[in-house]
Amino acid sequence: MLKNKILLKISGSIATYKVADLISKLMQNNFEVQTVVTDNALQFIGKATLEGLTGKPVYTDSFEEGKMMSHINLMNWADLILLAPATGNTINKMACGIADNLVTSLFLVWDKKKPYLIAPAMNTNMYEHPTTQDSLKKLSSWGVKVLPTGDGWLACGAVGKGKLLEVQEIMNYIKNTLENKSKERLEVIITSGGTIENIDNVRYITNLSTGKTAAAIADYFIEREHKVTFLHSINSALPSGKCKNIQFTSFNDLNSNLSKFLKEKIYDAFIHPAAVSDFSIKSVIINNEEIKTPISKKINSDADEIILKLKKNHKIVDKLKGLSKNKKIKLVAFKLTTLKDEKEKYAEVEKLFSNSKADYIVQNDLSSRKGNVQENYFIYANNNLKIKIKNARELAIALENLLTNQEMNK
């Protein structure tokens, strides 16, 4: 039984030669492929090649006798539409609503319930031209999945962006997109970075968190088409993908934002890597004078000694499930340890489970931090599931599998 029907649209680029390999791999993986090509594409690849590979006639003409409704029928037939290679000319036509051939006409009748992917291929200057970049942004805002380009030697002899992705990478996007189509979409909150507690208007205390793990998780969830709300500190790394970004500063700021969001909207999952201050600054003592915070101006540096009085903050993670409008929300808590003894590490994890009622806990140790990059994570669940993860990308994959109840390798 065939897996899915792929409508492969081809525009005229020197990279068109790669399409033959792509079709071959799709057919080997039991996909059904129908090609639609522009006249310019036929300057680079012949109909005989395409028909021989797909076992189907090649569509080129919007007004061909007996195929006058092909732009409607082909869209109804397809499970996924892919334009590869996508030239600057065709991309810009699509963004302007121009339908002067069958490839562009098919875009105007696109059923948005069906995934539409484009894989750009062109000279670096053409790719980076403001018109092309604006068109790509417009298409993306309409729901088209714009694949990245490769970076390297181009046919024109230049080196840079604009190279058509390798065939296996395009295959991966097709497979992932079709898997996503049948997969549960999640509304997810992800927190990131370290909170900042102001001493005065120029000084503050914070922690080592860079937010890189959270940003990598967010990018993966965005890539997989989950809806992500990303709450981040001022200095946190940000995801490159499109999501709702909310900035916070202090413990109180984060606490207020989370309370607001969780009470107003139903979220399916909460992933909480943010490093939250255990203490906030209550006051500053200078020359035996106690000054309450917040302090609106810079403290004079002439004093020989400044004493900070800290007050303990409650554990935000312990209150998240109680705040949530969705009482079945899945909570992923994070625990950074600085201990050598494995039993002590696990005791910290058990304590967090008990207090937060988290569904999963990601434990990592400061000793695994290489520069500013965290490595080696462990995922725990109440059923004693323990998965060792090497990096943030693999962590994101594992968390998605757990949160959508998919099978995964332990």
Side-chain angles (χ1 to χ4, degrees), residues 200-340:
D200 57 21
N201 64 344
V202 296
R203 302 179 180 93
Y204 58 81
I205 58 174
T206 187
N207 52 60
L208 292 174
S209 178
T210 63
K212 289 181 179 179
T213 295
I217 294 170
D219 266 327
Y220 179 77
F221 274 72
I222 294 165
E223 178 187 318
R224 299 285 282 177
E225 299 180 7
H226 300 289
K227 293 182 179 179
V228 174
T229 299
F230 192 73
L231 273 70
H232 62 91
S233 64
I234 293 175
N235 299 322
S236 171
L238 298 177
S240 56
K242 187 177 180 181
C243 66
K244 185 174 184 178
N245 282 308
I246 308 294
Q247 183 177 282
F248 63 82
T249 51
S250 65
F251 167 88
N252 287 331
D253 191 16
L254 174 58
N255 187 54
S256 176
N257 272 300
L258 289 178
S259 180
K260 176 178 180 289
F261 283 112
L262 288 171
K263 288 176 180 177
E264 288 181 353
K265 186 174 181 178
I266 291 178
Y267 292 91
D268 301 300
F270 193 115
I271 302 174
H272 187 44
V276 183
S277 303
D278 292 317
F279 297 89
S280 293
I281 298 172
K282 182 179 180 180
S283 62
V284 179
I285 301 174
I286 308 172
N287 297 327
N288 296 319
E289 179 187 358
E290 185 171 351
I291 306 170
K292 299 289 184 181
T293 57
I295 300 173
S296 59
K297 63 180 182 179
K298 181 182 176 183
I299 296 171
N300 192 305
S301 60
D302 291 339
D304 293 329
E305 181 180 71
I306 295 177
I307 299 171
L308 302 180
K309 289 185 73 173
L310 306 180
K311 60 181 178 181
K312 187 158 182 69
N313 296 323
H314 68 260
K315 293 288 187 182
I316 287 179
V317 69
D318 294 349
K319 296 181 179 294
L320 292 175
K321 284 204 166 186
L323 290 171
S324 177
K325 191 173 182 179
N326 176 16
K327 298 307 176 184
K328 295 183 179 179
I329 192 170
K330 297 282 186 69
L331 173 60
V332 181
F334 279 64
K335 186 64 185 180
L336 175 66
T337 57
T338 57
L339 304 164
K340 293 183 178 180

Side-chain angles (χ1 to χ4, degrees), residues 77-133:
W77 172 85
D79 294 314
L80 177 144
I81 306 95
L82 169 67
L83 173 59
T87 62
N89 183 44
T90 297
I91 286 169
N92 290 317
K93 281 183 182 180
M94 288 165 58
C96 293
I98 296 171
D100 60 351
N101 57 43
L102 187 52
V103 166
T104 51
S105 294
L106 277 164
F107 180 65
L108 286 189
V109 295
W110 169 39
D111 177 355
K112 287 196 173 183
K113 294 178 182 176
K114 299 184 178 186
Y116 198 118
L117 281 61
I118 66 172
M122 66 199 79
N123 166 269
T124 301
N125 290 339
M126 294 174 70
Y127 179 70
E128 293 182 341
H129 193 280
T131 302
T132 306
Q133 287 300 308

Side-chain angles (χ1 to χ4, degrees), residues 44 51 118 138 193 206 215 239 248 285-286 348 361 384 386:
F44 297 97
E51 186 170 337
I118 66 172
K138 185 185 288 188
T206 187
F248 63 82
I285 301 174
I286 308 172
E348 293 283 333
I361 290 177
N384 294 320
K386 182 179 178 182

Side-chain angles (χ1 to χ4, degrees), residues 315 334-339 341-355 361 363 380:
K315 293 288 187 182
F334 279 64
K335 186 64 185 180
L336 175 66
T337 57
T338 57
L339 304 164
D341 186 89
E342 292 299 321
K343 289 184 179 179
E344 289 182 297
K345 289 179 185 178
Y346 188 64
E348 293 283 333
V349 171
E350 284 189 315
K351 181 181 178 181
L352 181 53
F353 265 127
S354 177
N355 293 337
I361 290 177
Q363 179 260 323
Y380 292 86

